[in-house]
Amino acid sequence: HARRVTAMLAVGRASIFGGIGRCIAPPRSGRAATSAGPVRSGRARAVVPERPVIRARRAATSTGWTRTTSATASSGRDSVRTRASSSAPALTTRDEPAATRETGYRFVVVALIALALLLCNADRVIMSVAGVPLAQAHGWGERAIGLVQSSFLWGYMLTPLLGGVLADRYGGKAVLGGGILVWSLATMATPLAAATSLPALLLTRAVMGLGEGVALPCMNNLTARWVPKAERSRAVAACMGGFQSGSMVGLLAAPAMLAWGGVSGPFAVFGLSGVLWAVVWAFAATTYPRKSPSVSQRELALIEDGGSVADSTFNEDGVTRRMSEPTPFRLLLSKAPVWACIVANFVNNWGYFILLAWMPLYFKQVMGLELARSSYFSALPWATMAASGVFAGTLADSLIARGVPVTTVRKFIQGVGFIGPALMLVLLTFQTTATGALAVLTVAIGCTAFTQAGFLVNFQEIGPRYVGALHGMANTAGSFAGIVGTYMTGVILESTGSWRAVLFITAGVYAFGAATWLAFSTGERVFD
């Protein structure tokens, strides 16, 4: 008798709260109320019906309503789902967690993205270690090694802007998955291409660059849809930490893999790892969280109500609404702060790719270390980069929160990112021991991580509507800098044998970038 009474009370309670939920949430069909969301200026956008729970939580500023709490809205939604049918008793607490429990599946997706970026950079850097025995086996000089290192960027410079557009149109999941398959298969084919001919190797490296060029745009696309604004800085820092750790992992693991499997060892291991990652990614990820069965309703509400772009950029089918207004490239390129960002990306990549590609050979030739030890010495500075980037972001946010102008903060942070490496590379020319060189190089690379809180953030501040185009243009310039810098380093070394010339030129490029940034950058909005 007691169980029968309890069941009847549960059914009545579900019906009452279900009615409240239907009163709070507007119907799914029909025109959305004007208070469903803020009016967006600028580009015309199609009106897309919102989920009832989202509409219920919106604040209508015109009528002075206060924001509906998550508990009120979710209770209405959950009560509708848990209403007892005429042929079944009320749901028990064992049946409720699927809708009410707090999941953290967004962290799984972020971890998978970070792992993809780790493999991206590791696949890129193992050539700086394996390139030495490859050159010895085929009789290549420094000029040929520089050509091989730069050929990766022939493809890489073509796809950042394209990758961002494709990710926005078709979803970051598909584009990132396709990209890692392309670069992983190209990585596995590298030893065979090298044994065939130098042109075949250059083509394989270029194809690898085509695949890797989409990685960072897809990272931004996916984190914007999977992570609420309050967590987005930490999510991007975690992803970039994976990217930077890839340099360390590749440089540390490649010598052991060379000893174990010969020249083919590191390319086979890292290439196969990328293929396995793509398989897991195909089943584990979705372009946005509402399509994932692993995301609970509570986590979905946290993501979408927390500022995820999914509910304002995509319709219910996940198809991007086309923007009627073309990107005003002429207008963008007419503003000095845009050129400050473009020059900053050019300078950053010039130094980054030279340090990444040539430091193992520097420690081998100048400090007299064996290849394995030179790889270890080259890898250690990159281990500081992830921590340094997180520190720079925390410092920048802290200064802005204390009232320091955004322009001042960006100039200071980016100044450290360029002036620090310039000074350290000059100091590196006076080092006579491997330990001293390692210490100086560690400080230099640690300073370069400050760019994550400098020009990389500045795109969103000067032109939030055109951030994809701005970043794409700057990335293209940066890729060109990597091609020229790595190849010219090989030419200089082969013709003069002088590492001092290489280091002084790179320091001068950093100094030029610092002067340009300090003169023309701003933290204020330039474009509406």
Side-chain angles (χ1 to χ4, degrees), residues 11-88:
V11 172
R13 184 169 58 252
S15 301
I16 292 172
F17 284 113
I20 295 175
R22 288 191 297 272
C23 292
I24 294 175
R28 291 185 180 270
S29 61
R31 180 176 299 177
T34 57
S35 62
V39 177
R40 298 182 181 272
S41 60
R43 300 175 179 176
R45 297 185 178 182
V47 177
V48 178
E50 291 181 311
R51 290 154 47 104
V53 64
I54 295 174
R55 289 201 301 264
R57 295 180 184 181
R58 296 280 191 185
T61 55
S62 60
T63 58
W65 291 354
T66 58
R67 184 180 181 91
T68 306
T69 62
S70 299
T72 304
S74 62
S75 66
R77 177 188 61 207
D78 294 340
S79 62
V80 173
R81 294 187 175 185
T82 57
R83 291 174 63 189
S85 65
S86 59
S87 59

Side-chain angles (χ1 to χ4, degrees), residues 92-237:
T92 65
T93 56
R94 286 187 299 178
D95 299 318
E96 293 175 354
T100 61
R101 70 176 185 273
E102 177 68 48
T103 58
Y105 198 72
R106 63 192 183 279
F107 302 121
V108 175
V109 174
V110 169
L112 285 171
I113 298 171
L115 180 57
L117 295 184
L118 185 150
L119 292 172
C120 174
N121 225 15
D123 288 351
R124 181 188 309 179
V125 78
I126 56 178
M127 179 56 75
S128 62
V129 179
V132 176
L134 279 175
Q136 293 173 349
H138 298 284
W140 300 334
E142 281 83 359
R143 188 188 300 265
I145 297 177
L147 191 62
V148 170
Q149 296 284 12
S150 66
S151 63
F152 163 84
L153 295 164
W154 301 349
Y156 186 83
M157 72 180 299
L158 300 178
T159 50
L161 184 56
L162 177 63
V165 172
L166 291 177
D168 289 339
R169 186 176 295 269
Y170 301 109
K173 174 194 173 179
V175 179
L176 181 58
I180 197 169
L181 273 178
V182 169
W183 88 60
S184 297
L185 293 174
T187 299
M188 297 173 69
T190 298
L192 178 61
T196 302
S197 66
L198 182 60
L201 176 60
L202 298 179
L203 178 61
T204 302
R205 293 283 293 176
V207 171
M208 178 182 171
L210 285 172
E212 291 202 6
V214 306
L216 292 180
C218 287
M219 181 271 292
N220 282 315
N221 175 280
L222 288 163
T223 54
R225 285 149 180 76
W226 270 89
V227 181
K229 285 184 178 180
E231 301 173 0
R232 196 168 295 165
S233 296
R234 284 169 285 173
V236 172

Side-chain angles (χ1 to χ4, degrees), residues 117-126 128-129 240-255 257 270 352 356 372 374-387 445:
L117 295 184
L118 185 150
L119 292 172
C120 174
N121 225 15
D123 288 351
R124 181 188 309 179
V125 78
I126 56 178
S128 62
V129 179
M240 292 305 297
F243 183 76
Q244 293 148 3
S245 299
S247 301
M248 178 187 66
V249 171
L251 289 169
L252 289 176
M257 293 178 184
F270 282 106
Y352 176 81
L356 186 66
S374 68
S375 298
Y376 297 148
F377 270 70
S378 302
L380 291 176
W382 300 104
T384 67
M385 201 171 183
I445 293 177

